[in-house]
Amino acid sequence: AQSVTQLDSHVSVSEGTPVLLRCNYSSSYSPSLFWYVQHPNKGLQLLLKYTSAATLVKGINGFEAEFKKSETSFHLTKPSAHMSDAAEYFCVVSDRSGGSNYKLTFGKGTLLTVNP
Amino acid sequence: DSGVTQTPKHLITATGQRVTLRCSPRSGDLSVYWYQQSLDQGLQFLIQYYNGEERAKGNILERFSAQQFPDLHSELNLSSLELGDSALYFCASSVRDVNTEAFFGQGTRLTVV
């Protein structure tokens, strides 16, 4: 069965400093991986996706993530945090898990706080 | 704007009642997914429809049901509501299945009092 572990429930950074949100996954098959962001009282917005092409994936708003199969990780990074980055971030894995249908499994989320 | 439309945005109802949540997927998307987000459970997959047929079931209670209509919009019916059903309900759509990305609506916040 597939699973996602977001290693930090809350990350706090200062504006202008780097952001690192950590995600480890477990999957029996070749998964696709996604990061979604949820701003307060908003829906989920796709930040970036990995679907077996380049292992370093660039997304919107300066975010990127690197797929490391040997470490089963898909950490999200950004060189310089902005106040508008404050939100909850979800790491998501998608695979067939032995069935014929793909299934999305969400991590518990990491709340990012950006301090002025 | 993701292109996925959910109505209503907010819903307050009493225990024991029944409500219907509506979702219009992005134009061209055949798959619709329903998720429940609560503080204690996080984001839980409920059910998926593909081109009008049920494709996959997750942690959906028997009191809940869904359907996808010929025009591809979907409805999630919640009956015999309990306080614990209070949550944010999201609909998402994708072209086929979720190996590509899913696009989420803004959600319907259900409060059961």
Side-chain angles (χ1 to χ4, degrees):
Chain A
Q2 61 191 38
S3 66
V4 178
T5 303
Q6 291 184 242
L7 297 161
D8 306 293
S9 59
H10 187 199
V11 169
S12 183
V13 302
S14 297
E15 191 174 20
T17 64
V19 176
L20 169 63
L21 305 184
R22 298 181 296 164
C23 172
N24 286 111
Y25 70 92
S26 168
S27 172
S28 304
Y29 297 83
S30 298
S32 294
L33 293 154
F34 308 88
W35 277 97
Y36 282 84
V37 61
Q38 185 179 25
H39 287 92
N41 299 313
K42 298 286 187 186
L44 289 97
Q45 180 185 19
L46 179 69
L47 271 182
L48 49 79
K49 63 178 178 180
Y50 165 78
T51 54
S52 75
T55 56
L56 182 61
V57 181
K58 293 188 185 300
I60 61 172
N61 301 334
F63 284 95
E64 62 181 42
E66 186 170 8
F67 174 71
K68 291 187 177 180
K69 188 174 181 178
S70 60
E71 299 176 13
T72 60
S73 69
F74 190 57
H75 301 333
L76 182 70
T77 59
K78 182 172 180 177
S80 176
H82 192 272
M83 296 296 290
S84 61
D85 295 327
E88 185 144 29
Y89 292 78
F90 293 93
C91 181
V92 183
V93 64
S94 167
D95 73 18
R96 290 182 188 272
S97 289
S100 60
N101 302 315
Y102 285 96
K103 178 186 169 187
L104 280 181
T105 300
F106 282 77
K108 296 278 189 195
T110 298
L111 182 64
L112 176 65
T113 302
V114 183
N115 304 306
Chain B
D1 183 4
S2 68
V4 179
T5 304
Q6 289 188 248
T7 56
K9 286 189 168 47
H10 302 276
L11 201 47
I12 301 175
T13 190
T15 54
Q17 294 299 304
R18 172 190 167 96
V19 297
T20 297
L21 313 183
R22 183 188 168 99
C23 169
S24 294
R26 289 189 325 155
S27 177
D29 284 358
L30 298 179
S31 276
V32 169
Y33 314 82
W34 286 98
Y35 288 83
Q36 179 192 58
Q37 185 180 36
S38 59
L39 282 175
D40 53 342
Q41 297 288 328
L43 265 157
Q44 298 282 318
F45 168 67
L46 296 178
I47 197 164
Q48 177 200 356
Y49 278 83
Y50 176 76
N51 204 21
E53 294 190 2
E54 183 183 303
R55 175 66 73 96
K57 255 186 176 178
N59 301 321
I60 188 165
L61 300 171
E62 285 191 14
R63 301 183 284 109
F64 296 0
S65 65
Q67 53 184 328
Q68 187 179 27
F69 295 86
D71 66 353
L72 301 177
H73 90 271
S74 178
E75 292 181 356
L76 179 67
N77 301 296
L78 315 176
S79 61
S80 303
L81 285 166
E82 302 174 359
L83 295 177
D85 296 327
S86 296
L88 196 49
Y89 290 84
F90 283 110
C91 167
S93 73
S94 66
V95 174
R96 285 187 297 115
D97 56 39
V98 291
N99 203 34
T100 56
E101 62 265 36
F103 293 85
F104 283 78
Q106 299 278 341
T108 293
R109 182 168 294 283
L110 173 67
T111 304
V112 183
V113 298

